[in-house]
Amino acid sequence: MTNVDTQSTTRFPEGFVWGAATAAYQIEGAAYEDGRGESIWDRFSHTPGKTANGDTGDVACDHYHLWRDDIGLMKELNLQAYRFSIAWPRILPQGRGRPNDAGLDFYDQLVDGLLEAGITPWVTLYHWDLPQVLEDEGGWTSRATAEAFAEYTRVVTSRLGDRVKHWITLNEPWCSAFLGYRIGHHAPGHTSTKEALQATHTLLLAHGMAVPIIRENSPDAQVGIVLNPAQIYPDTQSEEDRAAAHRFDGFFNRWFLDPLYGRGYPQDIAELYGAEGPRTLPQDFEVIAAPTDFLGVNYYNPTFVRHSPEDEPYHIASVRREGEYTEMDWLVYPQGLYDLLQRLHRDYPTGLLYVTENGAAYPDEPPRDGRVIDTQRLSYYAGHLDACARAIADGAPLRGYFAWSLMDNFEWAFGYTRRFGIVYVDYATQQRTIKDSGRWYSQVITQNSLAVSTG
Ligand code: IFM
């Protein structure tokens, strides 16, 4: 393969789950087929100026048609589990109401195909592709969207709950709320703090409403939510920098984790948000804190912050540290994953932990003689898996790891300009090629250990 120094002899515990992850809008394509409704990402990506090169998910990796081949790839990679998401607009084109049989059939066959291949399906119910009709009625800022999500959950779990035993309600609600309604970098592209906070509340409520429905329709299932918690470090140990890091932790992490684990919204942050805070009902908090079995952690990079009086209103500035950066301009820092896993398990009753996404974008060369040499990605994985192993050795209840991503795909506002796959996709031909990182990962899976050759 390639010359990366991964000297580790680390073994993972028996039963550790090895997988890879994707999301519907990023890979499926077939945006107008078989009765699928419009999603906010169809609308957003077709709006000029919103994505790199005007890229859309219309075709993406054409997984909707190539899923059998893709299961073949997963087998070649020795994957034990595959995390994918269901496109809500394929199931309920109008957001609620009459289900679309063709959409349900697609996922039904995919699940059966995975099980036949000996691969455990891990299903995410919502990975950002809200039906546009619901957005037109207020989207995640409207409480009715949580009710629609509960209805959608009921439809999906009634159909797949007998065979799917690992369910994730939401992927990264921070992104849905803040990238979508505050920063505007994601669909639906709004820029209001008040909307983002209301959207957060609806998303958390939707999660809480969905949990008992999943349990009812999928007995013995493991149910969880996936967050993208930040591992935050103060730039210096000064009191002011540490206070800034604590505030940032409040905005980014505690605002989600505290209500999910029964503590309501953190008071210090609620005070800073003031009148922009969400409208809530007292009974919401019990719903949101529905007991779950695991927390999914998506980790890519750490966050360093400092106190900055000129940055109104919260006086926090991010700090760029020296080091290696990926093509996303994200610092490579495996220790952040170790620290994050320890912190989550120390501060919250998370139940089991799974790394549900971790990976890196680098500008790969197209395959030559059937090979893609992606040394940097391979070493990124090696470093982060080593951090996982150390976290387990030091007591974190980490039970599995999913590489992001199974294959190169539509990276949201970056379109097709960022490649995260362990499989290379030639978008013109839909040809897939397992990269060196993928070959290395498949050996790690087989050995259940990092003691595999990379040379
Ligand atoms: O591609 C995304 C994914 O959809 C959610 N988590 C982060 C990934 C990389 O940006």
Side-chain angles (χ1 to χ4, degrees):
M1 252 177 284
T2 188
N3 286 321
V4 170
D5 186 20
T6 53
Q7 297 289 318
S8 173
T9 53
T10 308
R11 284 197 66 73
F12 284 80
E14 245 1 85
F16 192 78
V17 176
W18 293 102
T22 63
Y25 191 74
Q26 294 182 272
I27 65 163
E28 283 180 4
Y32 306 99
E33 275 180 60
D34 291 343
R36 177 183 173 283
E38 187 189 20
S39 81
I40 54 173
W41 269 95
D42 296 303
R43 180 71 62 91
F44 188 75
S45 65
H46 279 270
T47 306
K50 298 296 186 193
T51 64
N53 307 314
D55 289 343
T56 73
D58 286 3
V59 178
C61 307
D62 201 21
H63 171 76
Y64 188 75
H65 297 114
L66 299 177
W67 62 270
R68 289 184 185 81
D69 299 340
D70 290 337
I71 291 179
L73 273 174
M74 295 177 215
K75 278 175 78 172
E76 223 180 310
L77 286 163
N78 299 319
L79 294 188
Q80 300 167 347
Y82 173 51
R83 174 180 171 232
F84 64 95
S85 79
I86 293 195
W88 185 346
R90 256 190 221 294
I91 306 298
L92 296 171
Q94 295 306 311
R96 50 170 80 85
R98 194 183 159 79
N100 173 32
D101 288 336
L104 282 164
D105 291 347
F106 170 68
Y107 295 108
D108 201 88
Q109 289 180 53
L110 177 62
V111 164
D112 282 347
L114 288 166
L115 292 172
E116 268 162 40
I119 298 165
T120 306
W122 283 58
V123 172
T124 309
L125 285 161
Y126 185 71
H127 198 127
W128 306 353
D129 43 0
L130 186 72
Q132 180 64 42
V133 283
L134 295 182
E135 181 54 42
D136 295 341
E137 297 168 12
W140 287 112
T141 69
S142 161
R143 216 178 158 84
T145 299
E147 276 145 30
F149 182 73
E151 185 181 331
Y152 158 65
T153 299
R154 192 173 292 288
V155 172
V156 173
T157 54
S158 309
R159 180 71 178 263
L160 303 179
D162 56 338
R163 285 153 292 152
V164 173
K165 294 295 173 189
H166 297 86
W167 293 96
I168 291 159
T169 53
L170 308 176
N171 180 72
E172 303 180 5
W174 181 88
C175 295
S176 302
F178 283 83
L179 292 179
Y181 291 90
R182 169 70 196 89
I183 299 166
H185 183 64
H186 279 190
H190 298 190
T191 52
S192 148
T193 303
K194 200 171 174 52
E195 281 189 29
L197 293 173
Q198 199 60 52
T200 303
H201 190 68
T202 317
L203 282 153
L204 293 175
L205 196 60
H207 155 81
M209 288 166 79
V211 171
I213 298 171
I214 301 170
R215 296 211 188 280
E216 190 187 320
N217 288 334
S218 187
D220 308 322
Q222 282 192 36
V223 186
I225 186 169
V226 164
L227 302 180
N228 56 326
Q231 182 55 29
I232 300 153
Y233 300 95
D235 188 34
T236 70
Q237 286 307 315
S238 75
E239 206 172 301
E240 285 187 322
D241 281 358
R242 284 195 286 130
H246 184 69
R247 277 198 304 286
F248 193 91
D249 182 57
F251 291 123
F252 206 93
N253 297 329
R254 289 183 284 123
W255 194 258
F256 292 82
L257 288 159
D258 281 15
L260 284 170
Y261 294 107
R263 299 176 196 166
Y265 290 118
Q267 194 56 33
D268 57 337
I269 303 303
E271 276 167 21
L272 288 172
Y273 279 139
E276 301 202 286
R279 287 182 311 280
T280 64
L281 297 176
Q283 63 269 29
D284 291 350
F285 292 95
E286 204 181 320
V287 175
I288 291 171
T292 48
D293 305 298
F294 67 88
L295 174 66
V297 179
N298 291 355
Y299 173 85
Y300 291 88
N301 59 318
T303 306
F304 287 87
V305 297
R306 65 178 171 83
H307 176 70
S308 170
E310 60 277 15
D311 279 289
E312 295 293 352
Y314 306 124
H315 305 156
I316 305 170
S318 62
V319 174
R320 189 178 176 86
R321 283 288 175 115
E322 285 295 304
E324 186 200 331
Y325 281 77
T326 69
E327 205 189 1
M328 297 297 281
D329 207 23
W330 294 346
L331 180 65
V332 178
Y333 196 77
Q335 182 63 29
L337 178 53
Y338 172 94
D339 291 340
L340 179 61
L341 293 168
Q342 298 298 3
R343 184 271 164 112
L344 290 168
H345 136 78
R346 186 184 61 231
D347 290 356
Y348 294 95
T350 58
L352 302 180
L353 292 172
Y354 290 91
V355 172
T356 34
E357 284 181 28
N358 177 236
Y362 288 107
D364 301 309
E365 293 291 326
R368 247 203 241 152
D369 303 325
R371 206 175 146 191
V372 175
I373 302 173
D374 60 336
T375 314
Q376 288 171 298
R377 185 175 294 104
L378 194 160
S379 110
Y380 179 99
Y381 277 119
H384 286 78
L385 282 171
D386 185 65
C388 288
R390 286 190 291 114
I392 295 168
D394 293 343
L398 179 67
R399 296 288 191 274
Y401 176 94
F402 292 77
W404 183 271
S405 174
L406 171 64
M407 58 184 132
D408 297 335
N409 58 46
F410 175 80
E411 177 54 24
W412 308 110
F414 293 93
Y416 297 99
T417 65
R418 298 290 187 278
R419 292 180 177 274
F420 272 94
I422 54 174
V423 172
Y424 185 94
V425 177
D426 178 333
Y427 296 111
T429 62
Q430 293 298 348
Q431 179 79 35
R432 276 83 157 132
T433 306
I434 297 179
K435 300 179 191 176
D436 278 4
S437 59
R439 299 206 177 282
W440 174 83
Y441 187 52
S442 75
Q443 288 183 54
V444 170
I445 296 175
T446 317
Q447 307 287 328
N448 199 33
S449 159
L450 293 180
V452 299
S453 139
T454 58

